[in-house]
Amino acid sequence: MPTRLADGVWALDLGLFPPIASNAYLAEDGETTLVDTGLPVNPSRLLAEIREVGYEPADLDRVLLTHYDLDHTGGMRRLRAEGFAGEVHVGREDVALMDGEWSPSPFHPKGLFHLAVRPLFDIQGVEAVGDGDRIGGFEAFHTPGHNPGHTVFVHEGLDAAFLGDLVWEEDGELTPPFWLDSYDMHALRESIRSFARRAPPFDVACMGHGTPLAEGGDEALRRLVARL
């Protein structure tokens, strides 16, 4: 069942269990934005959650994908098949990863995985975004490390940050993702520090894994930075 985190911010329950489960979010600000789409096995639940909030896929104005991983992009085909025709935005470097313009090393475990799955799970018609770009009420922050094009989207009007896999939640605190699931842990830690310096304050922290924080998100991020 969807959880209302704040006015205009909904967490969608995709129905799996940690560490497999990932989160998707719906944001309403006069336009309707879906952030991330879960695994390829999640679309039926994703659609049910969107409809529970009161929308059909065709009502969505855009999808923001924090990065190209199957647990964040896997619902795109079904969304389009169900009538979604809006914009899809992905970080520029991850568009290059998806399209084959950049290829990771096959000797990196995540690189090998991406090389294997990208011919099978491509996403058509995406728009690349870079650091500082604005999409509707959202500002994009390039935060590489987990993926080369990982992007956080902050909506000041909703007082919310959609963090993807920049951080995870564990026991009420934020933590960096597991090293095996990230390309460059040094870059990831620097991205966490840089985002904390540059981003406007936010209350609602919407991360890809774990329980989202309905309040105190900015403070939780700064506590993590102090521990890095």
Side-chain angles (χ1 to χ4, degrees):
M1 186 171 184
T3 300
R4 180 181 170 276
L5 300 174
D7 288 343
V9 183
W10 295 85
L12 307 183
D13 179 5
L14 302 186
L16 294 177
F17 52 87
I20 299 171
S22 61
N23 302 324
Y25 298 93
L26 201 65
E28 306 165 297
D29 64 352
E31 296 180 307
T32 308
T33 301
L34 179 67
V35 183
D36 290 335
T37 64
L39 283 159
V41 299
N42 288 141
S44 294
R45 186 62 176 263
L46 175 67
L47 292 170
E49 292 283 294
I50 292 170
R51 287 167 175 149
E52 185 73 20
V53 177
Y55 296 100
E56 290 293 327
D59 298 326
L60 302 177
D61 293 290
R62 68 177 63 86
V63 172
L64 302 178
L65 298 174
T66 57
H67 60 294
Y68 177 65
D69 274 346
L70 291 189
D71 55 343
H72 294 259
T73 64
M76 281 307 310
R77 287 182 184 174
R78 181 72 179 277
L79 275 176
R80 285 196 165 125
E82 294 285 337
F84 169 70
E87 310 163 353
V88 181
H89 299 271
V90 187
R92 184 173 293 114
E93 293 79 2
D94 272 23
V95 174
L97 170 61
M98 285 190 296
D99 292 348
E101 296 175 11
W102 176 80
S103 290
S105 168
F107 298 105
H108 188 286
K110 190 167 189 179
L112 179 62
F113 178 75
H114 275 142
L115 290 172
V117 302
R118 72 182 179 187
L120 306 174
F121 295 97
D122 62 325
I123 304 173
Q124 300 297 318
V126 302
E127 299 184 34
V129 298
D131 192 68
D133 286 352
R134 291 193 172 270
I135 306 102
F138 298 85
E139 182 177 1
F141 291 82
H142 181 215
T143 50
H146 182 72
N147 264 25
H150 189 283
T151 302
V152 167
F153 297 96
V154 177
H155 196 302
E156 287 193 73
L158 296 176
D159 203 12
F162 299 86
L163 299 164
D165 283 358
L166 176 68
V167 294
W168 294 352
E169 181 274 338
E170 186 175 303
D171 297 327
E173 293 292 338
L174 302 183
T175 182
F178 180 51
W179 68 269
L180 190 62
D181 193 37
S182 297
Y183 275 98
D184 186 331
M185 289 300 294
H186 175 76
L188 174 61
R189 287 189 289 269
E190 183 51 41
S191 286
I192 294 170
R193 295 185 186 100
S194 173
F195 176 70
R197 288 194 304 267
R198 299 189 297 136
F202 59 91
D203 210 25
V204 184
C206 302
M207 66 290 296
H209 298 272
T211 303
L213 305 180
E215 59 183 4
D218 185 70
E219 291 87 348
L221 179 64
R222 296 184 189 283
R223 289 196 299 272
L224 170 59
V225 169
R227 299 194 304 269
L228 290 178

